């Protein structure tokens, strides 16, 4: 089955700096790659996603890039702010089997220091 | 719309006790799933369902049962709780044919 690895496990940046979180996946059939943000004690919420037919997607300060050949994708946050502090999860969705199943990475704790 | 609602929010069980975690959604989503979240391990899929009467196992199904008698509800049953089942449990749902998953607010379960 699909396996998603996420790095780093923790990331500290100064306010205003950029943050990059990287994920790799194993199943070449995976075709959907979302990123979720989870604030302390809250539910995960989708912040951006990308499909396998697109190489890059941007939404204001956040962007996601996908390299299908290398089977990795990354989240980029520019001009970080204290409210960006949270746990970020990448995921991959494979169409194999019964309904697309989301497989998550282990998460990255992002701390933005002001 | 209330979205995805989970009850209870917190629960403490003794080893060997049974209980049911409830999940309901009012968005007419066919696909519902249960994840457990443990530190350093992300969200792991326990069971999922693509519609009423249809369920299947995820990555970590042992010790958990599910059923799906209606589109709205997808309860998760722990038959004999073990300390290894101490975790935060999230229910999620989405429309088949779409990709965005909507999560409930989570249930924090402690087994002592």
């Amino acid at each position: 089955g699909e396996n998603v690895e996420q790095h780093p496990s923790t990331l500290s940046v100064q306010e205003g700096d950029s943050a990059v979180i990287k994920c790799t996946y194993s199943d070449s059939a995976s075709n959907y790659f979302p990123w979720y943000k989870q604030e302390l004690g809250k539910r995960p919420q989708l912040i951006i996603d990308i499909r396998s037919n697109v190489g890059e997607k941007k939404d204001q300060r956040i962007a996601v890039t996908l390299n299908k050949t290398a089977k990795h994708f990354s989240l980029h946050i520019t001009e970080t702010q204290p409210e960006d502090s949270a746990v970020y999860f990448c995921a991959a969705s494979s169409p194999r089997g019964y309904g697309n199943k989301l497989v998550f990475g282990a998460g990255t704790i992002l701390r933005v220091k002001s | 719309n209330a979205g995805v609602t989970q009850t209870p929010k917190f629960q403490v069980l003794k080893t060997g006790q049974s209980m049911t975690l409830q999940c309901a959604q009012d968005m007419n989503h066919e696909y519902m799933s249960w994840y457990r979240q443990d530190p350093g391990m992300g969200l792991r899929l326990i069971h999922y369902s693509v519609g009423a009467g249809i369920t299947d196992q995820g990555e970590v199904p042992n010790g958990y049962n599910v059923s799906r008698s209606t589109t709205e509800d997808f309860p998760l049953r722990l038959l004999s709780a073990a300390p290894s089942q101490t975790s935060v449990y999230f229910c999620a749902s989405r429309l088949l044919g779409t990709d965005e998953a909507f999560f409930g607010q989570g249930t924090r379960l402690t087994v002592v």
Side-chain angles (χ1 to χ4, degrees):
Chain A
E2 176 64 277
N3 182 51
V4 177
E5 295 193 356
Q6 183 172 346
H7 300 280
S9 55
T10 61
L11 179 59
S12 289
V13 299
Q14 204 66 36
E15 183 178 359
D17 287 350
S18 295
V20 180
I21 302 170
K22 299 181 180 180
C23 289
T24 60
Y25 61 98
S26 61
D27 188 348
S28 55
S30 289
N31 57 7
Y32 174 68
F33 307 92
W35 286 89
Y36 282 81
K37 176 183 180 182
Q38 185 181 30
E39 296 176 351
L40 191 62
K42 301 283 183 66
R43 72 190 78 191
Q45 294 202 300
L46 180 71
I47 55 171
I48 195 167
D49 55 14
I50 192 167
R51 295 193 167 280
S52 57
N53 59 350
V54 176
E56 183 176 2
K57 184 176 178 181
K58 284 185 180 179
D59 183 3
Q60 300 184 345
R61 295 186 298 108
I62 59 173
V64 57
T65 58
L66 171 66
N67 183 328
K68 282 192 300 181
T69 303
K71 289 192 278 190
H72 68 70
F73 56 112
S74 300
L75 177 71
H76 304 254
I77 305 174
T78 58
E79 299 172 22
T80 53
Q81 301 168 2
E83 52 265 37
D84 294 329
S85 296
V87 181
Y88 291 81
F89 293 99
C90 64
S93 176
S94 170
R96 297 191 199 278
Y98 213 6
N100 290 19
K101 288 180 281 187
L102 273 179
V103 177
F104 285 84
T108 296
I109 300 171
L110 174 64
R111 296 191 183 94
V112 180
K113 297 175 286 186
S114 55
Chain B
N1 283 354
V4 181
T5 304
Q6 289 181 236
T7 55
K9 290 184 181 178
F10 301 95
Q11 182 72 49
V12 179
L13 286 180
K14 292 182 179 178
T15 297
Q17 284 186 317
S18 63
M19 82 158 293
T20 300
L21 279 62
Q22 301 290 345
C23 176
Q25 52 86 16
D26 60 0
M27 298 176 282
N28 215 28
H29 288 175
E30 302 96 335
Y31 189 101
M32 296 185 74
S33 53
W34 278 102
Y35 289 87
R36 60 177 289 172
Q37 183 177 22
D38 302 292
M41 303 189 76
L43 293 142
R44 292 181 293 168
L45 183 64
I46 305 171
H47 285 285
Y48 67 101
S49 168
V50 297
I54 306 168
T55 64
D56 204 352
Q57 296 180 349
E59 301 171 67
V60 289
N62 292 342
Y64 307 95
N65 279 357
V66 291
S67 60
R68 185 93 179 271
S69 55
T70 67
T71 300
E72 294 77 21
D73 300 296
F74 190 43
L76 179 71
R77 296 185 189 83
L78 284 71
L79 299 178
S80 179
S84 60
Q85 294 178 305
T86 293
S87 187
V88 180
Y89 291 85
F90 284 98
C91 178
S93 74
R94 64 177 170 84
L95 273 173
L96 279 182
T98 68
D99 294 300
E100 183 176 356
F102 295 85
F103 284 84
Q105 74 271 41
T107 295
R108 182 173 293 276
L109 176 68
T110 302
V111 183
V112 297

